[in-house]
Amino acid sequence: MSDNSLRLVWVYPDLLSTYGDQGNALVVERRARQRGLDVQRVDVRSDQPIPTSGDIYLIGGGEDRPQRLAAERLLRDGGLERAVSNGAIVFSVCAGYQILGKEFVNDQGQRQEGLGLLDVVTVRGEGERCVGDVLGDIDPRLGLPQLTGFENHQGVTHLGPTAKAFARVSMGRGNGTGDGTEGAYNDTVFGTYMHGPVMARNPHIADLLLKLALDVNALPAIDDRWYEALRAERIAAATQPA
């Protein structure tokens, strides 16, 4: 990318865009424009090839059958893996997170190959579905404030040795493994179960992606009053007694 331009790719909105996850693309795009960046947003449907020249790729959640179709098409296409090898940043949510792992259980109850961009494996949980508000502490190495979001998944995601937990939950189930982990990441690829959309609740995550794409340590300050009000409202609502 050039110093003042950004190519943002929203992957398969026709298959993977539940719980308002497309809002993540809107937040990243807006926060980039507020910093004077020229943003080119590309929405890539599942019948189109994945461009390999993007800077940031966003993938949302989806139901079980669309998830399987998305995984099959992404594997055949190969563009997302090539983009990552070129240095692109990827942020995924729920079904998208599972797809980026090594494997998950599909709608037919079979083990489905993932893209292997994250060292995680997802199995189907035997207990209650993970549903509800989540609060957690993001890995301090990322320098981000408290995580807030909403989870709704049956999958249980186990982290391999090269995956780092994106966060540790103080409320909610996260990866569903019982160890308090939520999501996973490596240097340029991130996954989480957080809907919300997560970027609206946690705009600093969007800023992290921008800094990684721009290869800078800081961004110009912008007016965050709206986002902070939303964050405070959702955190307060999650912590109030039932």
Side-chain angles (χ1 to χ4, degrees):
M1 63 178 294
S2 65
D3 291 342
N4 64 347
S5 67
L6 180 84
R7 195 174 196 208
L8 176 64
V9 181
W10 175 243
V11 177
Y12 294 177
D14 54 328
L15 294 178
L16 301 173
S17 185
T18 59
Y19 299 106
D21 290 330
Q22 192 167 359
N24 294 332
L26 297 173
V27 172
V28 174
E29 182 178 9
R30 174 171 174 76
R31 293 181 77 81
R33 293 190 187 282
Q34 286 179 296
R35 271 72 178 238
L37 295 174
D38 178 21
V39 182
Q40 179 189 5
R41 175 174 156 185
V42 181
D43 289 9
V44 181
R45 294 177 59 85
S46 58
D47 60 350
Q48 298 173 317
I50 301 291
T52 60
S53 58
D55 299 303
I56 298 174
Y57 293 74
L58 300 173
I59 309 174
E63 303 301 326
D64 290 349
R65 183 172 182 274
Q67 179 188 25
R68 171 170 56 84
L69 295 176
E72 291 170 350
R73 294 174 190 186
L74 285 169
L75 279 168
R76 285 197 304 267
D77 181 272
L80 190 58
E81 296 100 307
R82 291 194 295 274
V84 170
S85 68
N86 291 336
I89 314 303
V90 182
F91 189 90
S92 58
V93 175
C94 203
Y97 167 35
Q98 295 179 6
I99 288 172
L100 295 193
K102 292 183 173 179
E103 68 176 41
F104 61 93
V105 178
N106 65 24
D107 60 309
Q108 300 170 336
Q110 300 171 338
R111 291 189 299 179
Q112 176 90 30
E113 181 183 2
L115 300 187
L117 296 175
L118 285 170
D119 184 15
V120 302
V121 171
T122 300
V123 298
R124 190 172 296 277
E126 300 295 332
E128 293 183 357
R129 190 174 180 86
C130 302
V131 181
D133 276 301
V134 175
L135 295 175
D137 296 316
I138 296 176
D139 187 330
R141 289 171 288 189
L142 296 175
L144 300 178
Q146 184 179 30
L147 176 70
T148 169
F150 179 84
E151 63 182 350
N152 186 351
H153 61 97
Q154 189 68 42
V156 174
T157 300
H158 299 272
L159 276 57
T162 66
K164 293 168 283 192
F166 182 60
R168 298 272 173 177
V169 298
S170 55
M171 174 182 293
R173 302 276 295 281
N175 286 326
T177 55
D179 62 359
T181 62
E182 200 296 303
Y185 78 99
N186 56 37
D187 292 338
T188 61
V189 181
F190 298 81
T192 180
Y193 276 113
M194 295 300 95
H195 301 282
V198 67
M199 300 290 186
R201 291 197 186 197
N202 306 271
H204 294 93
I205 296 176
D207 290 350
L208 172 65
L209 303 186
L210 293 174
K211 287 189 287 187
L212 290 171
L214 293 166
D215 193 21
V216 298
N217 293 323
L219 297 170
I222 57 176
D223 186 353
D224 268 343
R225 286 175 295 180
W226 182 90
Y227 293 101
E228 290 305 322
L230 175 62
R231 278 178 57 77
E233 174 190 294
R234 299 319 308 156
I235 291 171
T239 54
Q240 286 178 354

